[in-house]
Amino acid sequence: MSYETITLDLDMRGVATVMLNRPESHNALNRAMIAELHDVALQLADDDNVRIVVLTGAGKSFCAGGDIGWFRDTLAIDRAGRIAESRALAEMLHALYRLPKPLIGRINGAAYGGGTGMISVCDVAVADHGARFGLTEVRLGLMPANISPYVVARIGAAKARSTMLSGAPFGAEKAYRIGLVDEVSEALDAAVEAQITAHLEASLSAVAATKKLIDFVDIHDIETAKDYTSEALADAWETDDGREGIASFLAKRLPSWRSGA
């Protein structure tokens, strides 16, 4: 796979690194990058060789949000065209969010506007201690529309109000306090590698099923969830990984996905 605005690297462990690669524009999202991120998300979802995906940025920034040139071009088209552009961004974010693999955000620098949305679709986000953040759309007379489902889910409605309504920038420690990122580190690569190591212990099929489980129970009442979870566990017992995991536990050995068998 060859891309113009992102890079993709896959190591021997099955760790795919997707890097936003427009450092001259602080990795701002334009039409091409949105399309390529959507495509790579679909490709990685279907690739059984991929166990974990790391999302990061080239240069000093993670993602500065929407590219000003993209905004300008979008203003020049009709309403139907603007809706289509907005929908493309929404579909890209959803494709990343629905990845059936762990998505680890390596937040190497500033993340504004849509950049915070890119963080919020990650399952785990680790930020450099010097990173800066901001939901800055209102300062441009806009709103954080497409990213809002993921940002609100990650930090909650109250914290979303306190950050979105002023658009004021904030640092990594506040990002950690409000739950936008899970860890702040002065040794970013080591912290990300620790997350990778931990996630490599898990069964890929169990991870995919658990991500679906979380989404389901989050939006359904307890009675509905009881039916779903009862069937989900029964299904898990019947999978190859479920049988292997139980057998390896009883035999006091590592399961195949941890032993490399």
Side-chain angles (χ1 to χ4, degrees):
M1 291 176 283
S2 178
Y3 298 106
E4 295 181 2
T5 67
I6 63 176
T7 64
L8 174 62
D9 177 72
L10 180 64
D11 72 14
M12 295 296 292
R13 300 173 298 173
V15 179
T17 299
V18 177
M19 180 176 288
L20 312 182
N21 193 31
R22 301 184 68 224
E24 72 287 351
S25 301
H26 298 281
N27 301 316
L29 297 162
N30 62 7
R31 182 183 293 112
M33 182 181 280
I34 290 168
E36 291 185 350
L37 283 168
H38 192 177
D39 181 77
V40 79
L42 298 179
Q43 297 288 342
L44 295 173
D46 289 338
D47 190 341
D48 291 338
N49 294 312
V50 176
R51 295 187 61 188
I52 295 169
V53 180
V54 176
L55 180 65
T56 191
K60 297 180 179 180
S61 298
F62 174 68
C63 177
D67 183 84
I68 196 67
W70 179 52
F71 288 164
R72 183 179 59 247
D73 293 345
T74 302
L75 283 174
I77 58 180
D78 61 15
R79 177 172 172 78
R82 288 193 291 272
I83 292 173
E85 291 289 321
S86 180
R87 181 73 183 198
L89 174 58
E91 294 293 352
M92 178 273 285
L93 291 166
H94 191 63
L96 287 171
Y97 177 76
R98 292 297 299 273
L99 267 176
K101 327 278 172 84
L103 179 59
I104 300 172
R106 178 187 177 275
I107 316 306
N108 57 297
Y112 295 109
T116 61
M118 298 291 286
I119 295 171
S120 297
V121 298
C122 293
D123 300 306
V124 179
V126 182
D128 182 80
H129 69 104
R132 297 286 292 171
F133 305 84
L135 289 142
T136 54
E137 287 84 351
V138 294
R139 296 190 170 196
L140 295 173
L142 303 173
M143 65 178 71
N146 301 125
I147 67 173
S148 61
Y150 311 104
V151 176
V152 173
R154 177 168 273 270
I155 68 176
K159 294 297 191 298
R161 286 174 180 267
S162 70
T163 51
M164 289 179 177
L165 298 185
S166 72
F170 52 92
E173 290 302 326
K174 179 174 179 177
Y176 174 74
R177 287 198 309 271
I178 67 176
L180 180 61
V181 301
D182 300 284
E183 183 179 353
V184 175
S185 179
E186 294 185 6
L188 183 60
D189 287 336
V192 171
E193 184 59 34
Q195 289 288 345
I196 291 170
T197 299
H199 282 80
L200 285 172
E201 297 288 304
S203 151
L204 184 56
S205 65
V207 166
T210 299
K211 290 186 75 166
K212 289 182 179 179
L213 173 74
I214 293 167
D215 282 345
F216 187 93
V217 299
D218 185 49
I219 62 173
H220 289 85
D221 63 82
I222 191 66
E223 290 300 322
T224 305
K226 282 195 298 185
D227 291 337
Y228 178 89
T229 56
S230 296
E231 293 187 15
L233 182 55
D235 291 342
W237 277 326
E238 296 169 8
T239 64
D240 290 341
D241 279 6
R243 291 190 175 96
E244 166 65 8
I246 293 169
S248 64
F249 179 78
L250 294 174
K252 298 182 179 180
R253 60 173 175 81
L254 291 176
S256 58
W257 58 86
R258 292 175 61 190
S259 66

